[in-house]
PDB file of all heavy atoms in Angstrom:
ATOM      1  N   ALA A 180     -94.343  90.044  -1.876  1.00 94.00           N
ATOM      2  CA  ALA A 180     -93.861  88.775  -1.691  1.00 94.00           C
ATOM      3  C   ALA A 180     -95.081  87.793  -1.623  1.00 94.00           C
ATOM      4  O   ALA A 180     -95.031  86.810  -2.224  1.00 94.00           O
ATOM      5  CB  ALA A 180     -93.146  88.662  -0.437  1.00 94.00           C
ATOM      6  N   ASP A 181     -96.161  88.214  -1.026  1.00 93.00           N
ATOM      7  CA  ASP A 181     -97.458  87.427  -0.955  1.00 93.00           C
ATOM      8  C   ASP A 181     -97.972  87.284  -2.378  1.00 93.00           C
ATOM      9  O   ASP A 181     -98.447  86.177  -2.722  1.00 93.00           O
ATOM     10  CB  ASP A 181     -98.372  88.081  -0.001  1.00 93.00           C
ATOM     11  CG  ASP A 181     -99.638  87.250   0.115  1.00 93.00           C
ATOM     12  OD1 ASP A 181     -99.524  86.148   0.670  1.00 93.00           O
ATOM     13  OD2 ASP A 181    -100.721  87.701  -0.319  1.00 93.00           O
ATOM     14  N   ARG A 182     -97.978  88.279  -3.182  1.00 92.00           N
ATOM     15  CA  ARG A 182     -98.566  88.156  -4.528  1.00 92.00           C
ATOM     16  C   ARG A 182     -97.692  87.298  -5.495  1.00 92.00           C
ATOM     17  O   ARG A 182     -98.170  86.636  -6.328  1.00 92.00           O
ATOM     18  CB  ARG A 182     -98.779  89.597  -5.118  1.00 92.00           C
ATOM     19  CG  ARG A 182     -99.799  90.413  -4.368  1.00 92.00           C
ATOM     20  CD  ARG A 182     -99.868  91.830  -5.049  1.00 92.00           C
ATOM     21  NE  ARG A 182    -100.858  92.691  -4.320  1.00 92.00           N
ATOM     22  CZ  ARG A 182    -101.116  93.955  -4.471  1.00 92.00           C
ATOM     23  NH1 ARG A 182    -100.285  94.564  -5.368  1.00 92.00           N
ATOM     24  NH2 ARG A 182    -102.025  94.520  -3.758  1.00 92.00           N
ATOM     25  N   LEU A 183     -96.456  87.431  -5.278  1.00 92.00           N
ATOM     26  CA  LEU A 183     -95.576  86.512  -6.085  1.00 92.00           C
ATOM     27  C   LEU A 183     -95.276  85.149  -5.559  1.00 92.00           C
ATOM     28  O   LEU A 183     -94.638  84.332  -6.141  1.00 92.00           O
ATOM     29  CB  LEU A 183     -94.133  87.285  -6.154  1.00 92.00           C
ATOM     30  CG  LEU A 183     -94.126  88.623  -6.951  1.00 92.00           C
ATOM     31  CD1 LEU A 183     -92.760  89.270  -6.822  1.00 92.00           C
ATOM     32  CD2 LEU A 183     -94.425  88.363  -8.372  1.00 92.00           C
ATOM     33  N   GLY A 184     -95.903  84.832  -4.398  1.00 91.00           N
ATOM     34  CA  GLY A 184     -95.746  83.492  -3.825  1.00 91.00           C
ATOM     35  C   GLY A 184     -94.472  83.203  -3.302  1.00 91.00           C
ATOM     36  O   GLY A 184     -94.075  81.992  -3.184  1.00 91.00           O
ATOM     37  N   VAL A 185     -93.691  84.266  -2.882  1.00 93.00           N
ATOM     38  CA  VAL A 185     -92.296  84.112  -2.274  1.00 93.00           C
ATOM     39  C   VAL A 185     -92.422  84.126  -0.805  1.00 93.00           C
ATOM     40  O   VAL A 185     -92.829  85.173  -0.269  1.00 93.00           O
ATOM     41  CB  VAL A 185     -91.326  85.147  -2.780  1.00 93.00           C
ATOM     42  CG1 VAL A 185     -89.953  85.012  -2.127  1.00 93.00           C
ATOM     43  CG2 VAL A 185     -91.287  85.068  -4.319  1.00 93.00           C
ATOM     44  N   THR A 186     -92.108  83.126  -0.132  1.00 89.00           N
ATOM     45  CA  THR A 186     -92.149  83.047   1.363  1.00 89.00           C
ATOM     46  C   THR A 186     -90.817  83.170   2.103  1.00 89.00           C
ATOM     47  O   THR A 186     -90.677  83.704   3.129  1.00 89.00           O
ATOM     48  CB  THR A 186     -92.803  81.780   1.833  1.00 89.00           C
ATOM     49  OG1 THR A 186     -92.208  80.612   1.343  1.00 89.00           O
ATOM     50  CG2 THR A 186     -94.325  81.735   1.321  1.00 89.00           C
ATOM     51  N   GLU A 187     -89.807  82.628   1.301  1.00 92.00           N
ATOM     52  CA  GLU A 187     -88.435  82.702   1.873  1.00 92.00           C
ATOM     53  C   GLU A 187     -87.397  83.162   0.875  1.00 92.00           C
ATOM     54  O   GLU A 187     -87.491  82.872  -0.306  1.00 92.00           O
ATOM     55  CB  GLU A 187     -87.984  81.257   2.281  1.00 92.00           C
ATOM     56  CG  GLU A 187     -88.846  80.631   3.449  1.00 92.00           C
ATOM     57  CD  GLU A 187     -88.433  81.284   4.803  1.00 92.00           C
ATOM     58  OE1 GLU A 187     -87.359  81.897   4.857  1.00 92.00           O
ATOM     59  OE2 GLU A 187     -89.196  81.205   5.767  1.00 92.00           O
ATOM     60  N   ALA A 188     -86.538  84.058   1.288  1.00 93.00           N
ATOM     61  CA  ALA A 188     -85.520  84.602   0.495  1.00 93.00           C
ATOM     62  C   ALA A 188     -84.412  83.587   0.376  1.00 93.00           C
ATOM     63  O   ALA A 188     -84.180  82.768   1.345  1.00 93.00           O
ATOM     64  CB  ALA A 188     -84.983  85.895   0.933  1.00 93.00           C
ATOM     65  N   GLY A 189     -83.653  83.534  -0.713  1.00 90.00           N
ATOM     66  CA  GLY A 189     -82.610  82.643  -0.849  1.00 90.00           C
ATOM     67  C   GLY A 189     -82.111  82.512  -2.237  1.00 90.00           C
ATOM     68  O   GLY A 189     -82.860  82.977  -3.218  1.00 90.00           O
ATOM     69  N   PRO A 190     -81.101  81.803  -2.631  1.00 90.00           N
ATOM     70  CA  PRO A 190     -80.597  81.684  -3.992  1.00 90.00           C
ATOM     71  C   PRO A 190     -81.559  81.085  -4.888  1.00 90.00           C
ATOM     72  O   PRO A 190     -81.549  81.345  -6.136  1.00 90.00           O
ATOM     73  CB  PRO A 190     -79.320  80.777  -3.838  1.00 90.00           C
ATOM     74  CG  PRO A 190     -78.918  80.950  -2.374  1.00 90.00           C
ATOM     75  CD  PRO A 190     -80.133  81.156  -1.648  1.00 90.00           C
ATOM     76  N   GLU A 191     -82.465  80.182  -4.424  1.00 92.00           N
ATOM     77  CA  GLU A 191     -83.412  79.460  -5.309  1.00 92.00           C
ATOM     78  C   GLU A 191     -84.647  80.283  -5.526  1.00 92.00           C
ATOM     79  O   GLU A 191     -85.462  80.038  -6.396  1.00 92.00           O
ATOM     80  CB  GLU A 191     -83.833  78.151  -4.684  1.00 92.00           C
ATOM     81  CG  GLU A 191     -84.625  78.277  -3.393  1.00 92.00           C
ATOM     82  CD  GLU A 191     -83.785  78.625  -2.200  1.00 92.00           C
ATOM     83  OE1 GLU A 191     -82.589  78.648  -2.322  1.00 92.00           O
ATOM     84  OE2 GLU A 191     -84.418  78.881  -1.080  1.00 92.00           O
ATOM     85  N   ALA A 192     -84.814  81.387  -4.822  1.00 93.00           N
ATOM     86  CA  ALA A 192     -86.033  82.249  -5.048  1.00 93.00           C
ATOM     87  C   ALA A 192     -85.599  83.383  -5.966  1.00 93.00           C
ATOM     88  O   ALA A 192     -84.879  84.327  -5.676  1.00 93.00           O
ATOM     89  CB  ALA A 192     -86.401  82.913  -3.618  1.00 93.00           C
ATOM     90  N   GLN A 193     -86.174  83.288  -7.152  1.00 94.00           N
ATOM     91  CA  GLN A 193     -85.916  84.345  -8.269  1.00 94.00           C
ATOM     92  C   GLN A 193     -87.202  84.784  -8.838  1.00 94.00           C
ATOM     93  O   GLN A 193     -88.240  84.051  -8.786  1.00 94.00           O
ATOM     94  CB  GLN A 193     -85.068  83.723  -9.273  1.00 94.00           C
ATOM     95  CG  GLN A 193     -83.634  83.366  -8.797  1.00 94.00           C
ATOM     96  CD  GLN A 193     -82.711  82.895  -9.959  1.00 94.00           C
ATOM     97  OE1 GLN A 193     -83.259  82.280 -11.024  1.00 94.00           O
ATOM     98  NE2 GLN A 193     -81.377  83.162  -9.866  1.00 94.00           N
ATOM     99  N   VAL A 194     -87.111  86.091  -9.357  1.00 94.00           N
ATOM    100  CA  VAL A 194     -88.318  86.608 -10.013  1.00 94.00           C
ATOM    101  C   VAL A 194     -87.830  87.221 -11.300  1.00 94.00           C
ATOM    102  O   VAL A 194     -86.753  87.525 -11.496  1.00 94.00           O
ATOM    103  CB  VAL A 194     -88.944  87.696  -9.152  1.00 94.00           C
ATOM    104  CG1 VAL A 194     -89.646  87.040  -7.872  1.00 94.00           C
ATOM    105  CG2 VAL A 194     -87.986  88.756  -8.753  1.00 94.00           C
ATOM    106  N   TRP A 195     -88.808  87.344 -12.232  1.00 94.00           N
ATOM    107  CA  TRP A 195     -88.498  87.867 -13.550  1.00 94.00           C
ATOM    108  C   TRP A 195     -88.871  89.365 -13.581  1.00 94.00           C
ATOM    109  O   TRP A 195     -89.961  89.838 -13.411  1.00 94.00           O
ATOM    110  CB  TRP A 195     -89.350  87.162 -14.643  1.00 94.00           C
ATOM    111  CG  TRP A 195     -89.048  87.608 -16.024  1.00 94.00           C
ATOM    112  CD1 TRP A 195     -89.865  88.228 -16.832  1.00 94.00           C
ATOM    113  CD2 TRP A 195     -87.910  87.226 -16.763  1.00 94.00           C
ATOM    114  NE1 TRP A 195     -89.310  88.418 -18.045  1.00 94.00           N
ATOM    115  CE2 TRP A 195     -88.114  87.816 -18.031  1.00 94.00           C
ATOM    116  CE3 TRP A 195     -86.744  86.521 -16.498  1.00 94.00           C
ATOM    117  CZ2 TRP A 195     -87.177  87.626 -19.012  1.00 94.00           C
ATOM    118  CZ3 TRP A 195     -85.816  86.372 -17.507  1.00 94.00           C
ATOM    119  CH2 TRP A 195     -86.004  86.908 -18.838  1.00 94.00           C
ATOM    120  N   LEU A 196     -87.789  90.190 -13.526  1.00 94.00           N
ATOM    121  CA  LEU A 196     -87.945  91.540 -13.273  1.00 94.00           C
ATOM    122  C   LEU A 196     -87.287  92.342 -14.439  1.00 94.00           C
ATOM    123  O   LEU A 196     -86.057  92.241 -14.597  1.00 94.00           O
ATOM    124  CB  LEU A 196     -87.299  92.004 -11.940  1.00 94.00           C
ATOM    125  CG  LEU A 196     -87.552  93.429 -11.333  1.00 94.00           C
ATOM    126  CD1 LEU A 196     -87.373  93.363  -9.811  1.00 94.00           C
ATOM    127  CD2 LEU A 196     -86.663  94.427 -11.944  1.00 94.00           C
TER     128      LEU A 196
END
Side-chain angles (χ1 to χ4, degrees):
D181 182 66
R182 292 176 183 174
L183 292 171
V185 178
T186 57
E187 293 286 340
E191 68 284 354
Q193 293 187 331
V194 294
W195 186 250
L196 193 156

